[in-house]
Amino acid sequence: MTTFVDRVELHVAAGSGGHGCASVHREKFKPLGGPDGGNGGRGGDVILVVDQSVTTLLDYHHSPHRKATNGAPGAGDNRSGKDGQDLILPVPDGTVILDKDGNTLADLVGQGTTYVASQGGRGGLGNAALASARRKAPGFALLGEPGQGGDVVLELKTVADVALVGYPSAGKSSLISVLSAAKPKIADYPFTTLVPNLGVVTAGSTVYTIADVPGLIPGASQGKGLGLEFLRHVERCSVLVHVLDTATLESDRDPVSDLDIIEAELREYGAGLENRPRVVVLNKIDVPDGQDLADLVRPDLEARGYRVFEVSAIAHKGLKELSFALAEVVGAARAAKPKEEATRVVIRPKAVDDTGFTVKLGDDDIYRVRGEKPERWVRQTDFSNDEAVGYLADRLNRLGVEEALMKAGARSGDGVAIGPEENAVVFDWEPSVMAGAEMLGRRGEDHRLEEPRPASQRRRDRDTERDDAEKAYDDFEPF
């Protein structure tokens, strides 16, 4: 059974905002006391939060679909709907958030670090909030916005100072078990380690973490064995420790060739691993032949510039020297690391000529309006209510959309689309629909929209002309 998962695809959906309420206050001897419809509640967000007590993404492997709750609709008597509850998803320290195309959205390192993966929709305003001196009793309310949704990929990259790399059965698990309190699985067959193991080491006043990842073999960077699946767990380390087996039973292997092969795989994988400090550990010197081989290859390795340590995890030889040497390298790496500054709040005011929307003529001869406000207003409009549609026209006019359409060359009856191409609201533009709340009729109606639309009238005229022509052809009698 799978107990460790370090990469999952998560399908998240935030809560939708509650609809606003269109209501009129009524009481004895006062049947029309004014609008009292409340606002809808905000939809809940989906938030990823680093929790250092979580070490795997297993829960999301079994349950990849997560959704926050919706906001409640508003009600009469000025009662606003309840906000949706945020969905908090704990993730391990070192989780990287990617989109479907592999682009990094966030790198979550440190207890409590958060990322809003999906934002809840705004609640719609009730008619009490929409009332004004010109529109005293609105017969409509705004709809709640749908919550954002989508897919994100979570990748776990272990946060460790030291990473042990080497062939399977080189003794990495035994080494981490004696250097720290970690208790990995240890056996005398290859690929005993199937998941990364973390341990905490104390050397003098320095405390650092050490990671043991599954063994690498030739071709690991291309996906052979378990290497490619777990190489991401050594990306954050400050120092790489090559654990070389000096007592291997395979005749075609020796510590130097093992080192060359692992180094080639690290260079092939990239991610900056080729530039990390290296330490070489010649393990299993408790075996007589192992000590002889270590004495033979040590001068060659030191000639290459490596710091070499001879150890035996079983006999506990050379461990103290190795532990303090790693502490020294980790300390130097931490000192060289730039100090993190407090996050500065950067305020970027909008340009003076920034209208907040754009108008462009598409290849299909439809004028497309894009912008946060127009698109949000369209999503909040109840198109079954004429007064709500008239209110949308007033808002767009005040924003300057109508003027921008005129400058772009739009004429009465031309097609206008507001929103993304795959989910846009398309209508025939009529510039005569001007702002004017004083022109409204009964609640829920807007007589400006009762006049025939120019494009619709032209279509009806063309249909009539075609029908007349077909009838004339049928009635035609040749001589």
Side-chain angles (χ1 to χ4, degrees):
M1 179 180 178
T2 301
T3 58
F4 180 84
V5 174
D6 63 349
R7 190 180 193 278
V8 296
E9 183 174 331
L10 194 60
H11 313 281
V12 294
S16 298
H19 298 329
C21 175
S23 172
V24 175
H25 179 70
R26 289 179 174 84
E27 59 182 81
K28 190 175 183 179
F29 306 120
K30 196 175 182 181
L32 298 176
D36 68 349
N39 303 331
R42 177 188 62 84
D45 298 334
V46 179
I47 305 175
L48 303 175
V49 181
V50 172
D51 185 347
Q52 292 184 339
S53 66
V54 178
T55 59
T56 176
L57 301 172
L58 182 63
D59 288 346
Y60 308 121
H61 173 73
H62 294 307
S63 302
H65 296 272
R66 302 299 178 105
K67 186 180 187 306
T69 57
N70 298 330
D77 200 19
N78 292 301
R79 289 174 293 175
S80 296
K82 184 179 179 181
D83 290 342
Q85 187 173 3
D86 292 339
L87 179 61
I88 306 297
L89 301 179
V91 296
D93 191 8
T95 300
V96 179
I97 317 299
L98 310 170
D99 61 15
K100 293 293 291 288
D101 298 326
N103 301 313
T104 301
L105 303 177
D107 192 352
L108 306 183
V109 177
Q111 176 72 20
T113 306
T114 62
Y115 173 73
V116 179
S118 191
Q119 194 167 30
R122 300 188 185 191
L125 295 179
N127 65 342
L130 296 173
S132 65
R134 302 176 65 184
R135 182 179 276 104
K136 297 179 185 291
F140 68 98
L142 298 185
L143 304 179
E145 283 188 275
Q148 295 178 350
D151 301 333
V152 293
V153 177
L154 308 185
E155 278 191 356
L156 175 59
K157 295 182 179 180
T158 303
V159 180
D161 298 301
V162 178
L164 305 180
V165 296
Y167 262 76
S169 297
K172 300 185 300 298
S173 297
S174 300
L175 189 58
I176 194 175
S177 69
V178 295
L179 286 175
S180 69
K183 301 299 179 187
K185 181 180 178 181
I186 301 173
D188 59 353
Y189 55 85
F191 295 113
T192 306
T193 302
L194 299 177
V195 300
N197 296 302
L198 278 179
V200 179
V201 182
T202 301
S205 60
T206 304
V207 179
Y208 58 91
T209 54
I210 187 168
D212 161 33
V213 298
L216 305 179
I217 61 173
S221 58
Q222 280 74 43
K224 292 184 179 180
L226 300 175
L228 182 61
E229 184 176 355
F230 293 109
L231 269 174
R232 71 171 70 95
H233 291 278
V234 303
E235 289 185 20
R236 302 183 190 274
C237 66
S238 301
V239 55
L240 288 172
V241 177
H242 283 284
V243 181
L244 304 180
D245 187 356
T246 61
T248 179
L249 299 177
E250 300 178 33
S251 59
D252 58 341
R253 284 181 49 200
D254 64 82
V256 176
S257 62
D258 287 356
L259 175 65
D260 292 338
I261 291 173
I262 300 303
E263 280 290 338
E265 296 302 324
L266 294 175
R267 286 194 301 272
E268 187 69 23
Y269 181 76
L273 297 181
E274 62 277 7
N275 300 321
R276 304 294 166 82
R278 261 76 163 161
V279 171
V280 173
V281 171
L282 299 174
N283 194 20
K284 303 183 183 179
I285 61 170
D286 56 295
V287 179
D289 291 342
Q291 182 63 69
D292 294 341
L293 185 57
D295 295 337
L296 181 63
V297 301
R298 178 166 185 159
D300 186 11
L301 296 174
E302 289 179 339
R304 297 188 184 190
Y306 292 111
R307 294 183 65 180
V308 182
F309 296 86
E310 299 177 7
V311 304
S312 169
I314 300 298
H316 288 225
K317 292 182 179 180
L319 299 179
K320 184 176 181 180
E321 294 80 359
L322 173 62
S323 176
F324 276 86
L326 294 178
E328 180 185 344
V329 178
V330 170
R334 290 175 178 174
K337 186 178 180 181
K339 293 184 179 180
E340 295 184 1
E341 298 182 357
T343 303
R344 293 165 47 182
V345 178
V346 180
I347 300 177
R348 294 185 176 88
K350 292 184 178 180
V352 176
D353 58 348
D354 184 7
T355 60
F357 66 91
T358 59
V359 176
K360 293 183 180 179
L361 179 61
D363 297 335
D364 50 2
D365 293 331
I366 292 180
Y367 290 88
R368 299 196 172 275
V369 180
R370 298 300 308 273
E372 181 184 353
K373 285 186 177 180
E375 293 179 31
R376 185 175 74 245
W377 293 344
V378 164
R379 290 193 297 267
Q380 293 180 321
T381 300
D382 178 7
F383 286 93
S384 64
N385 185 302
D386 287 348
E387 189 179 352
V389 176
Y391 178 68
L392 172 64
D394 294 345
R395 300 177 87 180
L396 294 175
N397 181 61
R398 288 195 297 270
L399 186 63
V401 173
E402 184 166 314
E403 182 180 356
L405 285 169
M406 289 181 178
K407 290 181 179 179
R411 297 186 302 111
S412 176
D414 286 345
V416 175
I418 300 179
E421 188 171 350
E422 63 276 6
N423 188 28
V425 173
V426 183
F427 57 92
D428 297 329
W429 183 53
E430 175 49 62
S432 64
V433 181
M434 301 294 288
E438 69 283 352
M439 301 172 59
L440 300 179
R442 294 180 299 175
R443 291 177 63 252
E445 296 182 357
D446 189 328
H447 69 269
R448 295 174 294 174
L449 303 176
E450 297 175 0
E451 301 176 1
R453 314 296 292 168
S456 301
Q457 187 62 46
R458 287 199 294 269
R459 283 195 292 269
R460 285 194 291 270
D461 292 343
R462 286 197 299 268
D463 293 342
T464 301
E465 292 177 1
R466 185 178 64 251
D467 293 341
D468 292 343
E470 292 176 352
K471 186 175 183 301
Y473 179 80
D474 294 338
D475 295 340
F476 176 73
E477 295 182 0
F479 298 102

